[in-house]
Structure formats: structure tokens, C-alpha cells
Amino acid sequence: MVDHRLVYLDSQATTKLDPRVLDTMMPFLTEDYGNAASRSHDFGWVAEKAVDHARETLAAGLGAKGREIVFTSGATESNNLAILGAARMYQGKGKHLISAPTEHKAVIDPLKRLESEGWEITWLDVDAQGRIDLDQLRSAIRPDTVLVSLMHGNNEIGTLHPIAEIGAICREAGVLFHTDATQTFGKEEINVEAMHIDLLSASGHKMYGPKGVGLLYVRRRNPRVRLEPIQFGGGHERGMRSGTLNVPGIVGFGRALELCLENRAEEQARMAALRDRLQQRLESELDFVQVNGDQEHRLAVNLNISFAYIEGESLIMGIPGIAVSSGSACTSASLEPSYVLRAMGVGDDLAHSSIRFGVSRFTTEDEIDYAADRVIAAVRRLREMSPLYEMALEGIDLNSVQWQGH
Ligand SMILES: *Cc1c(COP(=O)(O)O)cnc(C)c1O
């Protein structure tokens, strides 16, 4: 049976642009096309005013000041600027950084880059739920530690790190704290003052805004954080990020945050209920499933679940039209199991069988029920062909089996 129904359940990869955001952007894609840096005419002033409004809105959403917001092309750039910029600015203090192996690649890869340049990185352990140990963090901080980078909400498994506690530890030790809040900005409560955050990354397209725009919050007081730029040019954004501002993108980003905050609690609760409904159906109608990530401190929208004895990729092919991802979308071109699940100690077989579902503002209950039906049918079909599943049903301990050729 060919089914043409499309259901989008990959909201940790990106979200649909809210039509109300597009409405706000439209004038800046058409008549109001001025360069926000043009100081000599109306076109420039109109653009600058719109950017300032978005800047103030986005800053307020973090408990920050407009002057502390640096606009970028997205969270990848924000993370790079935060990590490379702080490391290079403060290398006089030392060359030690702290992070965790479950971070997004846009944090891990700049850190690895610094490692290749002679920096030392401490990778904190994570437990089976993807949580760090705050005592281990405390004892990892040294006199030569420049920066701790730990994300707020994990894009694969949804686990939330306790960023207020992490911030307090870093502040007390006099170490800068960067958090990648791409999955939580506009969704979870964030206040850079109360949480002692010095640098924070966010992105428009993970919150119903446009792609190609992001921000880096850079603290200006207590302490004043300075960054070595990673790109040079016209000196925009107080010299920290040269380049003509993406005016329509920035306007849309600001509007996207306003919409998120308008009825955040209600929307978060509605999405969590949809996610829970999906989880409940998969857990009650299928055996040998494992939900990955912290079940208490987690994103409202995320469900990462392993279906033992099947391959995630085969399952995805078995549910055409339903958009989900196996492992992280960013690395799904490779057939390596998810590095995040691996760091949590999930075995390769369960990691290979994991699927990430992400609900969004636009997801309906009907879509959830439809997706659950399809996934359950596909898992049953694939397992019918699996000798391993049959052995598991018979109670044979697969670890005790002597495999041929091993
Ligand atoms: C999507 C994502 C990024 C990358 O953001 P872009 O704006 O697409 O560059 C970084 N970190 C996390 C946690 C993400 O989910």
C-alpha cells in the first residue's frame, strides 16, 4: 500500500517557519531592503530600527541587554565564536577547557581543533541518561581552565543539563561558562543572570524562525567577556562578528521568540502530552524497547527510543512519509552508531536501533496516532524476519550465544 501522507517528526533537526514569522519578515525581503549599517538614509535607518527591536526582544528573553547580543549565521557559528574566541582571548590564563562527549558537533569540533593546536580538553563522563556529575565538574576545574562548555538541552536524547548549578560552580571558580541553548531558547526558562551564564548560543530555525540566523550572548558586566573574532571585515557587532547583518532573518528571529513566549507554558505542556502519548503507545504495544535520555529532566518535544533487534535505518525505510531521524541528523550520512548514545554506554546494537522523534508546535494528535500505528506495524514486520528477536522471545540470552565466525 502506498501512503502519501507526510508527517514531520524531526523538530530537533529544524522546525517549520511559522507563517506569522514570515509575515513579519516580508517587508524586509522586499521594500525595506536597507543595510542596517547604512547611517546616511532612510533605508538604513529602517533596517537598523528593526534589528534593534529584535535585539532587545531576544536579549530580554535571556534576561540580558541588547548590547550583549551578537548576531551570527546560526548556532554553529555562535558555538565556534564562543569557544575559539574565548580560548584565544584568554590563553594567557591557560590552555585548558572542559566539556562533555554528548555535545553537538558544533561544540565538539572547535574543541578538537583547539586540541590539535595544543589545548587540553577534559571530557566529563556522562551516565546512562546523559547526565554529568557536578562533583566531577568541580574537581575538573583547574587554575588554567579558561572555559566550560556544556549544552542546555541535548538535541539527540533531550536530556537537560542543570545549567544554573553549572553556572554557579563556574562563577565561584572564576571560569567562563558557555552553554549551547539551541534546543531550549524560547522553550525552557533561561536567565543569564540567575544562571551565571557568560556565553550562550541559539538559532532561529530550531524555534520556528528562519534558517541562517543565530545569536551569541556575550556577557558585558561581572565579568566583561571579550572574544577574539574569528572573521574580520567591517567591524559589525562591536568588532566581534563582521559582516552585513541578515536583516530579514534577524527580524524573523525576534518575532519567532515573541511567539514562543506568548504562551510558552501551554504550548510546552501540549507538546509534552503529544510526546508522552507517542511514548506510551510504543512502550505498551511493543516489547524490547528502551527510551534513551533522562526521563525527568528532558526537552518537552523529544523522544529517543531504541527498538531492539531491528536497524533504525530499516525502520525509517519501513515508515515512508514519516520524517524522523536515526542517531543525529548531522551525522546520519555515516552508518556509525550515534556518538551520543555510545558515550552514555548504550551498546552498539541498541544504538543502531534508535530513532529520534521530535514533536513541534504544528504536530497534531491525529499525526501522533498515525505515526504510532505505522511505527508499531513496521517494527512488528521487521521483527518477524529477525531470528534474534525470536531467540529473545524464547528467553535465550543472546550474550551467551556462541556466534559462528567469532
Ligand atoms: C541545530 C543545533 C546546532 C546547530 O545550529 P545551526 O543554526 O543549524 O548551525 C547546534 N547545537 C545544537 C544543540 C543544535 O540542536
Side-chain angles (χ1 to χ4, degrees), residues 106-317:
V107 163
I108 291 185
D109 286 357
L111 287 171
K112 289 206 167 142
R113 174 76 206 192
L114 288 169
E115 203 167 26
S116 76
E117 294 173 9
W119 291 72
E120 193 187 330
I121 321 290
T122 296
W123 300 99
L124 300 175
D125 298 325
V126 296
D127 68 11
Q129 280 74 48
R131 298 175 302 201
I132 61 156
D133 174 355
L134 294 175
D135 287 331
Q136 194 195 18
L137 168 63
R138 255 182 224 106
S139 53
I141 296 175
R142 319 187 306 213
D144 62 340
T145 307
V146 167
L147 178 78
V148 171
S149 182
L150 290 166
M151 73 203 312
H152 191 192
N154 187 283
N155 49 296
E156 270 196 53
I157 50 163
T159 298
L160 295 171
H161 280 152
I163 53 170
E165 280 93 328
I166 295 168
I169 290 169
C170 293
R171 181 62 52 88
E172 199 188 322
V175 173
L176 294 180
F177 172 39
H178 166 248
T179 190
D180 177 351
T182 308
Q183 293 290 342
T184 53
F185 185 38
K187 298 160 192 171
E188 300 291 327
E189 184 71 43
I190 300 177
N191 185 295
V192 292
E193 290 306 326
M195 294 172 158
H196 303 298
I197 295 163
D198 299 308
L199 294 156
L200 177 144
S201 306
S203 179
H205 76 100
K206 302 287 177 82
M207 44 191 284
Y208 316 101
K211 294 175 180 59
V213 65
L215 67 78
L216 179 65
Y217 158 77
V218 185
R219 173 174 290 281
R220 277 175 67 87
R221 287 189 56 218
N222 306 320
R224 179 189 186 91
V225 178
R226 294 162 67 225
L227 298 176
E228 177 80 31
I230 56 176
Q231 80 184 30
F232 302 87
H236 308 74
E237 301 296 87
R238 294 178 312 288
M240 282 189 269
R241 201 276 188 176
S242 287
T244 299
L245 290 179
N246 171 1
V247 177
I250 290 166
V251 167
F253 193 6
R255 181 71 181 128
L257 179 70
E258 280 174 3
L259 294 172
C260 284
L261 297 184
E262 233 170 58
N263 48 5
R264 181 177 64 183
E266 200 185 311
E267 182 164 74
Q268 286 281 99
R270 193 187 76 85
M271 293 191 297
L274 289 177
R275 185 271 316 276
D276 292 345
R277 183 181 179 96
L278 178 61
Q279 177 172 340
Q280 200 274 329
R281 281 207 57 198
L282 298 178
E283 282 187 316
S284 63
E285 293 176 48
L286 292 168
D287 48 10
F288 302 105
V289 300
Q290 173 185 301
V291 176
N292 301 304
D294 191 333
Q295 293 303 283
E296 195 184 339
H297 304 287
R298 70 198 291 208
L299 294 174
V301 294
N302 171 278
L303 174 62
N304 187 307
I305 185 162
S306 294
F307 304 93
Y309 313 117
I310 62 166
E311 291 283 328
E313 299 295 325
S314 318
L315 178 53
I316 286 178
M317 283 191 284

Side-chain angles (χ1 to χ4, degrees), residues 18 239 242 279 363 379:
D18 191 302
S242 287
Q279 177 172 340
T363 308
V379 169

